[in-house]
Amino acid sequence: MIKLDQFLKLVGIAQTGGQAKLMINDGDVKVNGTVETRRGRKLVSSDQVTVGRQTFKVGDVIQ
């Protein structure tokens, strides 16, 4: 498992934890199609994270 803010940094969407926090708080991040505002949300391999037009499947990134 990985936390949402850490995942955003890992895939390069956010360069810092602070930037990830702002994106999440502003409602710019969706998990499985639903806006997620908890930066500590734990992601599992089947989750999909969408920011703008980019969608990442957690299991494809985390091996």
Side-chain angles (χ1 to χ4, degrees):
M1 286 202 275
I2 187 170
K3 292 192 295 184
L4 180 57
D5 59 346
Q6 294 171 335
F7 183 79
L8 293 177
K9 289 192 308 183
L10 179 68
V11 296
I13 294 295
Q15 293 186 5
T16 66
Q19 186 181 20
K21 178 182 176 181
L22 289 174
M23 294 172 72
I24 294 166
N25 286 344
D26 289 346
D28 296 334
V29 180
K30 292 182 181 180
V31 176
N32 300 326
T34 303
V35 173
E36 182 57 71
T37 57
R38 298 172 293 165
R39 69 182 179 143
R41 158 84 185 256
K42 290 187 170 95
L43 303 172
V44 295
S45 62
S46 60
D47 287 333
Q48 291 190 5
V49 177
T50 303
V51 181
R53 295 182 183 192
Q54 292 184 290
T55 299
F56 303 89
K57 184 172 180 187
V58 175
D60 292 345
V61 177
I62 306 294
Q63 299 290 337

